[in-house]
């Protein structure tokens, strides 16, 4: 029999056990709620407390590559070395005998400094200064922008108080090759110039983040990490050829120096597509060392500058009168070296000669201002203006390069007596190299002007390929007029006084030169200062590539003959690079005089 005295302790034991089980159940329910049911929300809330931390996960900026996929701009990993001042101290290592020995902090600081390029005293001062500001400090930069080699060497030291934050940095493997086009980045990773800036939407990476909690000792608490992934930038493919760009940059640098010019450029365009294969300039910029270049050299003069084109425009006038004026390459005018026209305008040639019965071909071969002025009378000014607009003069290019300028062309209704004739030989207006190349592309490409392009495509991280939207090709002149103009320009290459200088054995060329006067800024021209141009295409019978060479104020030779050596070498290299076959037919010679 259970007595009252024995039942009372047992009842109390059961009640106590029930209370313990109830409390334990409550703890278990709460633990499941915290660690399972609402774990995500609790961890998110916990990130807001003092021990919460986060780290940026850097996306990689997209590459810029040439037409063959060779890298012009890419990204590498650099490392920011971070010290934990609170926990900095001696290290324990095994010596050669296998015994554990203590290495003092002063010695460790020296080992670190030998890798980072600092002194041991500088490394120790970083820690001392951080502790002076906050005795519990766990963060101080050792050195930012460490290379991979430095990072690996520092890791080998085995210091637990030294950590690293990796982040991408921009690099340009070939230095100045294409630097005028590619552009460069600022120290804050912002694009500042060129393709880097104008195509930033393609190249831009989106950074992610890693959030976590740390204990008092700085160790990350397991299970507290939450990651938002970074998104890399796209790959931007340009139309230029890196190897050709390199060669032409060396070539134009040599020509500028030989002719003692202020600057120069070479541009190459594929006639059938309008794709730009090279834009070589000197002086230029190395994006790896922007400070070594002056402000004027940190972009593209070729896109930024405009000029009076001079006699290169005679080909445009010839194409116009062939197309709209009922002329042929052997149509004639009588012109002396100085002509006064019915409206009072006066036009002079660069050389003295008696009155010649020039053919249209002969006018371009001798580059007669008076002769082309007389031919221009066979088409009214309004029509010539319309043709110049169709040739793209004054419209800029479809490239829309950062900082690009356009030429200046007044409506025909605003032409005065002199301008009416001057425009026929490239004065009284301005153009740019891209505009001029586009105009010659219409002549080379059977009368159709193709929009110029510098960007091939953008390959997005998800595999999507985005191609640039370009204007439709423009019919400028008829196929016949374009073919006849090509014949004339080929005869210029054969019969002009610089013919031997530009000859490329085995190939038929078409070419024209221009010597434009330079403004003095006060409504006149600078004495003896010229902007010289030589532009042409090959093969003349089936044009594949257009090449233009410019020099700004050459002083050794002040005429466009200064451009001939560079033009010949540039055209030769272009034909080799793209394996263009030599000619199998002979050109048709045209007479200079009627």
């Amino acid at each position: 029999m259970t007595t009252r005295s024995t039942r009372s302790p047992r009842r109390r034991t059961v009640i106590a056990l029930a209370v313990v089980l109830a409390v334990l159940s409550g703890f278990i329910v709460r633990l499941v709620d915290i660690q399972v049911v609402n774990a995500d929300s609790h961890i998110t809330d916990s990130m807001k407390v003092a021990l919460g931390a986060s780290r940026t996960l850097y996306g990689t900026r997209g590459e810029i590559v040439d037409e063959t996929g060779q890298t012009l701009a890419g990204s590498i990993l650099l490392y920011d070395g971070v010290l934990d001042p609170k926990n900095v101290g001696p290290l324990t290592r095994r010596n050669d005998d296998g015994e554990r020995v203590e290495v003092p902090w002063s010695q460790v600081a020296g080992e670190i400094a030998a890798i980072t390029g600092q002194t041991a005293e500088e490394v120790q001062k970083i820690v001392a200064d951080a502790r002076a500001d906050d005795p519990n400090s766990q963060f101080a930069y050792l050195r930012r922008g460490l290379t991979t080699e430095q990072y690996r060497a520092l890791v080998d030291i085995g210091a637990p108080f030294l950590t690293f934050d990796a982040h991408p940095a921009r690099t340009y493997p070939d230095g100045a090759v294409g630097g005028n086009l590619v552009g460069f980045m600022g120290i804050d990773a912002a694009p500042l110039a060129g393709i880097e800036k104008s195509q930033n939407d393609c190249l831009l990476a989106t950074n992610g983040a890693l959030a976590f909690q740390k204990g008092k000792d700085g160790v990350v608490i397991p299970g507290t990490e939450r990651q938002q992934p970074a998104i890399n930038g796209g790959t931007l493919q340009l139309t230029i050829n890196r190897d050709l760009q390199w060669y032409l940059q060396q070539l134009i640098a040599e020509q500028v120096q030989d002719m003692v010019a202020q600057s120069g450029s070479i541009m190459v365009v594929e006639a059938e597509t309008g794709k730009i294969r090279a834009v070589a300039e000197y002086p230029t910029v190395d994006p790896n060392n922007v400070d070594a270049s002056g402000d004027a050299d940190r972009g593209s003069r070729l896109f930024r500058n405009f000029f009076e084109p001079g006699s290169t425009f005679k080909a445009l006038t010839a194409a116009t009168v062939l197309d709209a004026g009922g002329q042929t390459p052997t149509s004639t005018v009588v012109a002396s070296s100085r002509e006064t026209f019915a409206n009072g305008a006066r036009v002079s040639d660069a050389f003295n000669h008696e009155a010649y019965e020039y053919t249209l071909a002969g006018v371009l071969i001798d580059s007669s201002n008076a002769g082309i002025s007389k031919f221009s009378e066979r088409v009214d000014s309004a029509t010539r203006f319309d043709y110049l607009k169709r040739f793209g003069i004054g419209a800029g290019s479809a490239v829309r390069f950062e900082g690009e300028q356009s030429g200046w062309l007044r409506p025909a209704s605003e032409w005065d007596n002199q301008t009416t004739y001057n425009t026929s030989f490239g004065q009284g207006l301005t153009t740019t190299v891209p505009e001029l190349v586009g105009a010659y592309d219409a002549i080379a490409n059977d009368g159709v002007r193709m929009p110029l392009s510098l960007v091939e495509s953008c390959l997005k991280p998800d595999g999507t390929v985005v191609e640039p939207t370009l204007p439709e090709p423009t019919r400028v002149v008829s196929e016949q007029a374009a073919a006849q103009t090509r014949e004339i320009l080929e005869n210029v290459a054969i019969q002009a006084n610089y013919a031997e200088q530009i000859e490329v054995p085995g190939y038929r060329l078409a070419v024209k030169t221009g010597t434009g006067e330079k403004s003095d800024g006060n409504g006149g021209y600078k004495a003896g200062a010229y902007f010289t141009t030589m532009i042409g295409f090959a093969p003349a019978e089936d044009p594949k590539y257009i090449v233009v060479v410019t020099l700004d104020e050459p002083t050794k030779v002040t005429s466009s003959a200064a451009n001939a050596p560079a033009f010949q070498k540039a055209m030769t290299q272009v034909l080799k690079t793209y394996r263009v076959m030599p000619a199998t037919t002979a050109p048709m010679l045209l007479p200079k005089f009627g």
Side-chain angles (χ1 to χ4, degrees):
M1 173 181 287
T2 302
T3 64
R4 181 184 300 270
S5 60
T6 59
R7 286 200 304 269
S8 181
R10 182 180 297 173
R11 185 179 295 115
R12 286 195 298 269
T13 301
V14 170
I15 293 171
L17 182 59
V19 170
V20 170
L21 289 173
V23 172
L24 184 60
S25 296
F27 276 117
I28 293 173
V29 169
R30 183 58 178 156
L31 186 62
V32 171
D33 174 74
I34 292 173
Q35 294 194 351
V36 180
V37 178
N38 294 303
D40 290 342
S41 62
H42 289 306
I43 290 175
T44 300
D45 291 340
S46 71
M47 297 305 174
K48 301 175 183 178
V49 302
L51 294 180
S54 65
R55 178 175 297 172
T56 300
L57 300 177
Y58 294 97
T60 302
R61 186 172 177 82
E63 285 191 325
I64 300 175
V65 300
D66 80 338
E67 65 162 329
T68 66
Q70 299 297 312
T71 301
L72 296 169
S75 294
I76 58 173
L77 277 180
L78 293 181
Y79 299 84
D80 294 339
V82 178
L83 290 165
D84 180 350
K86 181 179 179 180
N87 293 300
V88 164
L91 299 180
T92 301
R93 296 175 180 162
R94 292 187 182 276
N95 61 19
D96 294 340
D97 297 329
E99 299 175 344
R100 298 184 69 84
V101 296
E102 185 177 89
V103 181
W105 160 234
S106 59
Q107 180 178 331
V108 176
E111 295 174 4
I112 292 173
I115 297 169
T116 62
Q118 298 162 289
T119 64
E121 291 74 19
E122 288 173 333
V123 173
Q124 290 174 295
K125 186 175 186 301
I126 292 171
V127 174
D129 288 348
R131 286 175 173 171
D133 292 339
D134 179 5
N136 295 313
S137 172
Q138 292 185 290
F139 184 93
Y141 277 118
L142 167 64
R143 172 148 286 186
R144 307 184 73 171
L146 298 168
T147 66
T148 300
E149 290 74 16
Q150 289 174 311
Y151 159 71
R152 289 174 177 169
L154 289 168
V155 168
D156 289 342
I157 291 177
F161 47 77
L162 178 58
T163 58
F164 304 89
D165 288 333
H167 60 86
R170 211 59 169 157
T171 183
Y172 304 89
D174 292 316
V177 177
N180 55 322
L181 299 176
V182 171
F184 48 87
M185 309 285 287
I187 57 174
D188 58 353
L192 298 181
I195 293 293
E196 291 276 28
K197 184 176 180 180
S198 64
Q199 298 295 323
N200 190 50
D201 288 348
C202 171
L203 300 166
L204 185 64
T206 302
N207 292 335
L210 177 66
F212 50 87
Q213 281 189 301
K214 294 165 55 174
K216 287 184 63 177
D217 57 0
V219 176
V220 175
I221 299 173
T224 64
E225 297 179 346
R226 287 295 179 271
Q227 179 175 315
Q228 178 185 348
I231 301 174
N232 294 334
T235 298
L236 187 75
Q237 185 173 35
L238 303 185
T239 59
I240 70 168
N241 181 287
R242 183 193 66 169
D243 293 341
L244 181 63
Q245 178 80 18
W246 176 86
Y247 176 86
L248 296 181
Q249 283 191 210
Q250 311 310 307
L251 177 60
I252 194 59
E254 177 183 321
Q255 196 68 15
V256 167
Q257 293 169 38
D258 285 350
M259 292 297 144
V260 197
Q262 291 189 359
S263 63
S265 71
I266 302 175
M267 188 175 193
V268 180
V269 170
E270 190 173 82
E272 295 177 0
T273 64
K275 293 179 180 180
I276 298 171
R277 297 309 186 189
V279 180
E281 300 181 69
Y282 180 84
T284 188
V285 62
D286 180 349
N288 293 312
N289 186 17
V290 177
D291 291 341
S293 298
D295 290 344
D297 303 330
R298 296 179 183 180
S300 174
R301 287 183 176 86
L302 189 145
F303 283 101
R304 191 175 62 221
N305 292 354
F306 49 87
F307 57 97
E308 285 196 357
S311 295
T312 56
F313 253 45
K314 289 170 183 168
L316 279 57
T317 303
T320 299
V321 300
L322 287 167
D323 197 52
Q327 304 300 292
T328 70
T330 55
S331 295
T332 62
V333 295
V334 176
S336 63
S337 56
R338 290 176 179 81
E339 291 285 343
T340 300
F341 291 86
N343 67 0
R346 296 180 179 180
V347 176
S348 299
D349 287 345
F351 61 101
N352 292 321
H353 63 86
E354 62 188 35
Y356 292 149
E357 187 182 0
Y358 268 126
T359 64
L360 182 57
V363 164
L364 269 70
I365 291 168
D366 279 359
S367 201
S368 169
N369 296 340
I372 200 67
S373 295
K374 288 202 167 187
F375 270 111
S376 72
E377 292 182 312
R378 298 179 181 179
V379 176
D380 63 81
S381 296
T383 299
R384 285 204 296 116
F385 171 80
D386 289 342
Y387 271 84
L388 289 176
K389 295 297 287 185
R390 291 213 294 269
F391 272 117
I393 305 305
S397 76
V399 176
R400 297 290 182 258
F401 192 78
E402 192 238 343
E404 181 177 353
Q405 297 294 315
S406 300
W408 176 69
L409 175 65
R410 288 182 294 170
S413 60
E414 299 178 12
W415 293 357
D416 59 25
N417 291 346
Q418 192 64 48
T419 303
T420 298
Y421 293 99
N422 286 2
T423 51
S424 69
F425 53 87
Q427 289 186 1
L429 48 73
T430 62
T431 190
T432 65
V433 171
E435 286 181 357
L436 185 63
V437 173
Y440 270 70
D441 181 71
I443 296 169
N445 195 42
D446 291 330
V448 176
R449 177 169 58 87
M450 300 298 294
L452 300 190
S453 61
L454 184 59
V455 173
E456 190 73 58
S457 65
C458 174
L459 176 62
K460 295 288 189 178
D462 62 2
T464 303
V465 177
V466 180
E467 297 181 350
T469 301
L470 297 173
E472 290 296 318
T474 302
R475 166 66 66 181
V476 180
V477 297
S478 66
E479 288 188 32
Q480 181 182 11
Q484 290 175 326
T485 309
R486 291 198 298 271
E487 284 183 358
I488 293 173
L489 292 175
E490 183 173 15
N491 274 266
V492 174
I494 295 170
Q495 300 186 52
N497 56 15
Y498 48 78
E500 292 184 1
Q501 292 178 272
I502 65 170
E503 181 183 6
V504 179
Y507 292 90
R508 293 167 55 182
L509 308 183
V511 74
K512 189 68 189 78
T513 59
T515 304
E517 295 182 276
K518 293 192 64 176
S519 171
D520 62 6
N522 298 311
Y525 292 106
K526 294 172 66 174
Y530 302 98
F531 189 90
T532 61
T533 308
M534 182 171 282
I535 184 169
F537 46 81
E541 71 277 16
D542 182 21
K544 298 298 183 185
Y545 294 95
I546 303 166
V547 174
V548 56
V549 179
T550 72
L551 290 173
D552 189 0
E553 294 193 29
T555 56
K556 186 175 181 180
V557 177
T558 58
S559 71
S560 50
N563 303 44
F567 179 87
Q568 194 276 342
K569 292 176 184 177
M571 182 62 82
T572 300
Q573 187 64 32
V574 169
L575 296 173
K576 285 181 179 179
T577 297
Y578 291 103
R579 300 180 180 181
V580 178
M581 297 299 292
T584 57
T585 58
M588 182 176 71
L589 293 180
L590 297 173
K592 284 176 58 175
F593 307 111

